[in-house]
Amino acid sequence: VGALASGISALLPIGALVGFGGMALDSALGAAAQGRFRCPRCAESSEWPRHHCGTTTVHEGGLPWLDNDGVNLASSAAAALAAGAAWRWLCPCS
């Protein structure tokens, strides 16, 4: 939409790359850094320190304080910064 509204056609592929990069960062952060837990009572994996059955889970990996919302925030913020940088670089009116 920004590419169409501004008339700067180069923004279209850059927007696609920024979107793909944000998605890839979200996946990588989720896999590597998001906290992973296991419920000892149900033997189910969980994203939360307390399972839906009420049992405190055991931390198995990742950062215990980083949940899915934090991963989404970090990847969205990185993509927004990349999009802003691309706009400043390509927009002739800045």
Side-chain angles (χ1 to χ4, degrees), residues 3 6 8 10 20-21 30 32-33 35 42-43 59-60 62 65-66 72-74 78 82:
S6 68
I8 304 171
F20 179 80
C42 304
H59 178 245
E60 289 193 324
W65 53 267
L66 185 61
N72 290 343
L73 176 66

Side-chain angles (χ1 to χ4, degrees), residues 24-37 46-49 59-75:
L25 181 61
D26 185 81
S27 295
L29 276 176
Q34 184 175 335
R36 292 179 305 279
F37 303 90
S46 176
E47 296 181 358
W48 308 104
H59 178 245
E60 289 193 324
L63 302 170
W65 53 267
L66 185 61
D67 62 5
N68 189 52
D69 294 334
V71 168
N72 290 343
L73 176 66
S75 59

Side-chain angles (χ1 to χ4, degrees), residues 1-12 15 87:
V1 171
L4 293 174
S6 68
I8 304 171
S9 60
L11 286 177
L12 187 60
W87 179 262

